[in-house]
Amino acid sequence: MTQVQRTILGIDPGLANTGWGIVSQCGARLSCVAYGCISTSKDMPLAHRLMKIHRQMGAVIARFEPTCAGVETVWFGSNTQSAFATGQARGAALVACAERDLQVGEFSPSQIKLAVVGTGSADKDQVQYMVRQLLALEAVPRPDHAADALAAAICFTTHEGFAARARSAQAAGRIASLRQDRESCPTRAADVAPARFSVPSSGKETA
């Protein structure tokens, strides 16, 4: 069986700070290639802040050439204004991914925590600790946004396995359902009237 070999970009979006991380996957082995953070000043016009995120994320993609990306979704808590700002930054980063035709997986904070720590209710310290362990890093990545971005990249690798198992289970359920229907409603070939076709001079079949 061929081992999966690819480079994955992780993104933790934010208007003030957008974290990014690059993870290399070879089979089950994951390693950290690079990570960082794109910061914008609140004194800059909004359009310029979004342009900076888009351009610098594009530069990261051009340098490391990932083929896929794991992106954290926006969590709408009590601060809706902050959530909208995060959504705008996320859109700027997603455009950069689209320009390079990256396969994008979008994951909620709880999905990322579940993939990295094993529980969707893990706290930030637990996530950072497991990112360090899974990628065999000497220290927890700083700033926090970079560690969260690496966690999103890790989630991309594990979520595919969950999705594949879910698709297999759904397929198995559909097959079992069809078999059950077939057994409960048996149909003989003689009971089905054959379709009739006429062939005109053009040679094309018509019903």
Side-chain angles (χ1 to χ4, degrees):
M1 184 175 178
T2 305
Q3 284 191 335
V4 175
Q5 295 188 8
R6 59 187 173 183
T7 302
I8 307 160
L9 167 66
I11 301 175
D12 175 46
L15 186 58
N17 297 286
T18 291
W20 60 270
I22 302 291
V23 171
S24 175
Q25 180 182 13
C26 182
R29 183 176 178 274
L30 303 177
S31 59
C32 177
V33 177
Y35 57 83
C37 186
I38 303 168
S39 298
T40 67
S41 170
K42 63 181 180 180
D43 297 328
M44 295 173 61
L46 174 61
H48 289 192
R49 298 178 78 177
L50 296 176
M51 181 174 64
K52 181 179 180 180
I53 294 170
H54 170 257
R55 286 182 174 176
Q56 292 198 8
M57 189 61 67
V60 169
I61 296 170
R63 179 177 179 182
F64 297 103
E65 298 183 339
T67 57
C68 45
V71 185
E72 185 173 326
T73 58
V74 180
W75 180 71
F76 282 85
S78 57
N79 192 341
T80 55
Q81 184 175 356
S82 176
F84 279 120
T86 300
Q88 290 173 311
R90 184 170 174 273
L94 284 173
V95 170
C97 293
E99 288 176 337
R100 294 279 178 165
D101 199 26
L102 269 60
Q103 177 188 354
V104 175
E106 302 179 63
F107 311 112
S108 67
S110 60
Q111 284 179 309
I112 294 174
K113 292 175 182 179
L114 178 63
V116 176
V117 182
T119 172
S121 59
D123 60 33
K124 184 174 287 289
D125 289 339
Q126 290 174 312
V127 173
Q128 293 177 357
Y129 174 81
M130 285 306 300
V131 166
R132 177 186 175 186
Q133 296 299 313
L134 291 171
L135 299 178
L137 297 170
E138 294 183 358
V140 172
R142 298 297 181 197
D144 296 350
H145 311 287
D148 291 341
L150 290 170
I154 294 170
C155 182
F156 187 96
T157 68
T158 60
H159 191 269
E160 281 187 319
F162 296 149
R165 286 194 290 273
R167 287 193 296 270
S168 297
Q170 289 175 351
R174 286 195 294 268
I175 292 172
S177 177
L178 287 172
R179 286 175 177 170
Q180 191 173 26
D181 290 344
R182 197 177 297 127
E183 290 171 359
S184 60
C185 301
T187 303
R188 295 179 303 167
D191 295 333
V192 181
R196 297 183 180 181
F197 296 91
S198 61
V199 182
S201 58
S202 62
K204 295 181 181 178
E205 288 185 335
T206 60

